[in-house]
Amino acid sequence: MFAKVKLIASALRRRLFLMHRGDSSLLPSDFNCLPFASLSRQEQFVVSQYLISVAEVVGLLNGIQSRGRAVDHDLVLANFAKGEAAYVAAGFMPFMPGALKASGLTSLEPQAIDRSGLVRRSTGDNHACFAAVMRQQVERLLRSGKVIKLDSRVAEQRLKELCDSSRGYRSDLPDQP
């Protein structure tokens, strides 16, 4: 299973590299890259949401692998699955989250998104969806026992309590001229 995913990711990385170099002669003739500006508002929204969810998955994986911390992994993976489904339904080819780094996408500006290589699927094209693979990979990493699962709601609640106690402390102070 992972061999197939690696093969797909490798092909995608090569295509993204070729696009980044601007060498379209080496791309297959059916490789249909679209400028972001040519998309409808709805498609632009779907693309933006998908790219945000991909970036969140990359952040989650980086946090797990480099810092041993997983924050809201279920929420991130659910958002990715929903974003990927909408992206595919809009007629685009999904890509492995790791390919986001290879594409050089650093913002959601139209020029940066154009570099990420939006590819419209031809009718009947097969495509791989990566949400299930990402969930399996995260679950495997979490089972290793070396990862601390964090819930951002706990941190938000603690921050709110600290802010509230700070406000209470300030209200006890006399007014200063």
Side-chain angles (χ1 to χ4, degrees):
M1 168 98 154
F2 283 107
K4 185 176 182 181
V5 170
K6 284 183 181 181
L7 181 66
I8 292 169
S10 174
L12 182 59
R13 259 190 235 108
R14 175 148 174 75
R15 287 180 176 182
L16 290 171
F17 174 74
L18 294 173
M19 283 181 1
H20 186 66
R21 277 190 22 208
D23 192 351
S24 60
S25 65
L26 298 174
L27 293 173
S29 60
D30 62 333
F31 194 70
N32 186 14
C33 295
L34 301 171
F36 186 72
S38 71
L39 303 177
S40 69
R41 283 197 179 273
Q42 179 62 28
E43 288 174 327
Q44 288 179 353
F45 177 77
V46 167
V47 167
S48 297
Q49 292 304 305
Y50 177 63
L51 292 173
I52 289 169
S53 70
V54 168
E56 289 174 346
V57 168
V58 169
L60 173 67
L61 291 173
N62 286 342
I64 290 172
Q65 293 169 340
S66 63
R67 292 183 300 280
R69 291 178 174 21
V71 180
D72 296 335
H73 61 279
D74 284 327
L75 178 63
V76 169
L77 293 169
N79 286 343
F80 177 67
K82 187 171 81 171
E84 184 180 52
Y87 188 74
V88 168
F92 296 101
M93 287 290 266
F95 53 88
M96 272 298 258
L100 187 68
K101 286 183 185 176
S103 72
L105 183 68
T106 56
S107 74
L108 290 176
E109 294 296 319
Q111 299 83 5
I113 293 175
D114 286 343
R115 284 193 307 269
S116 72
L118 301 175
V119 179
R120 175 100 47 201
R121 286 185 297 115
S122 298
T123 307
D125 275 354
N126 289 333
H127 63 278
C129 288
F130 301 104
V133 173
M134 291 294 101
R135 181 166 291 281
Q136 289 172 353
Q137 183 176 2
V138 168
E139 288 174 355
R140 182 180 51 80
L141 290 168
L142 293 176
R143 281 193 305 265
S144 72
K146 299 175 187 173
V147 179
I148 299 170
K149 297 177 192 174
L150 302 173
D151 185 352
S152 66
R153 291 173 295 191
V154 173
E156 288 171 6
Q157 180 61 34
R158 180 68 181 133
L159 180 62
K160 183 180 179 301
E161 290 170 1
L162 289 171
C163 289
D164 291 344
S165 68
S166 172
R167 284 187 199 110
Y169 172 75
R170 287 186 189 154
S171 67
D172 294 341
L173 295 176
D175 290 334
Q176 303 215 357

